[in-house]
Amino acid sequence: MIDIVASGVLFDMDGTLVDSTAVVEAAWTGFGQRHDLDPQTILAFSHGRQTIDTVRHFLPDLDEAEQHRIVDEMIAAEVDNVDGILEVPGAAAFVSRLVDAGVPVALVTSAPRDLAVNRMRAAGVHVPEALVASEDVDHGKPHPDGYLRGAAMLGVDPAECAAFEDAPAGLEAAIASGATTVVVGALEADVTAGLYRVAGYDGITVEAEGSAFRIRG
């Protein structure tokens, strides 16, 4: 159950609005096989983080140019691969309700812009004009840069925003930004203690409340 009064809403993408599990798992499984690394260990670390941060973590001895070459190769393979991309239940309708109600909305993702736009469109979810992608920040999640930038693009104080996230790194980033943070999905971790939680977006209502909005469901 959630009952939040906010002036803006910030969304992560993968796992929060878009179910890209099949594509993401295939990409990191291939990476693990090529570099003799356990895919499950990679997936546990990578969720919510920029690709470059994961490559640096698992291949720290490679020079920077080679790390970026690997990242570019992985992203190029993923950008147009939208097979199996779905919305998280109710996400498209909820984002539309927010937009129709006049709520300022931003997407804050660890994915590159082109990949993010393609996945959102494939899932049928509205792409907000305010979009913070991996190339827009100096520090990826769990650093709060992305959420701070997203709130600034909306012209809203981060403390007056609600942020929806599903991964530990993203939740840490959202909390550090000062936003009221909502866990999407079933993640149980130290970082989720005391946070609002939703399994999906069906039944969540949006109503104007003064100059802000009440999000409840």
Side-chain angles (χ1 to χ4, degrees):
M1 298 292 292
I2 62 172
D3 189 351
I4 300 168
V5 175
S7 297
V9 176
L10 309 168
F11 285 105
D12 171 52
M13 182 184 69
D14 288 314
T16 299
L17 292 176
V18 172
D19 182 353
S20 55
T21 304
V23 174
V24 172
E25 288 188 352
W28 285 119
T29 296
F31 171 83
Q33 291 171 342
R34 289 190 296 274
H35 298 282
D36 196 25
L37 297 165
D38 175 42
Q40 292 307 312
T41 302
I42 299 168
L43 287 165
F45 178 85
S46 67
H47 193 40
R49 299 177 189 265
Q50 292 188 18
T51 304
I52 186 60
D53 292 332
T54 300
V55 171
R56 285 172 177 157
H57 179 81
F58 287 99
L59 300 176
D61 296 331
L62 291 185
D63 64 45
E64 186 174 353
E66 179 63 10
Q67 290 172 340
H68 279 282
R69 185 198 67 76
I70 291 170
V71 170
D72 291 345
E73 184 178 82
M74 291 181 68
I75 290 172
E78 287 186 70
V79 165
D80 294 321
N81 183 5
V82 295
D83 291 343
I85 298 290
L86 303 168
E87 66 168 324
V88 169
F94 179 51
V95 173
S96 293
R97 284 198 296 276
L98 291 169
V99 172
D100 291 345
V103 182
V105 175
L107 186 68
V108 181
T109 176
S110 295
R113 183 174 300 269
D114 289 347
L115 189 152
V117 169
N118 282 1
R119 285 186 181 171
M120 291 281 282
R121 288 175 175 167
V125 183
H126 170 78
V127 182
E129 289 186 18
L131 195 169
V132 182
S134 60
E135 58 265 43
D136 299 322
V137 295
D138 293 327
H139 306 287
K141 300 171 185 177
H143 197 282
D145 270 7
Y147 281 108
L148 295 174
R149 183 179 179 89
M153 291 176 73
L154 298 180
V156 178
D157 188 313
E160 296 177 359
C161 290
F164 290 78
E165 262 284 1
D166 74 306
L171 290 164
E172 290 179 30
I175 292 166
S177 77
T180 298
T181 304
V182 182
V183 184
V184 179
L187 176 69
E188 292 286 354
D190 289 346
V191 71
T192 66
L195 298 181
Y196 287 109
R197 180 187 295 274
V198 296
Y201 302 98
D202 291 327
I204 299 179
T205 62
V206 183
E207 299 174 357
E209 184 158 308
S211 60
F213 302 88
R214 183 175 290 274
I215 301 167
R216 184 164 42 191

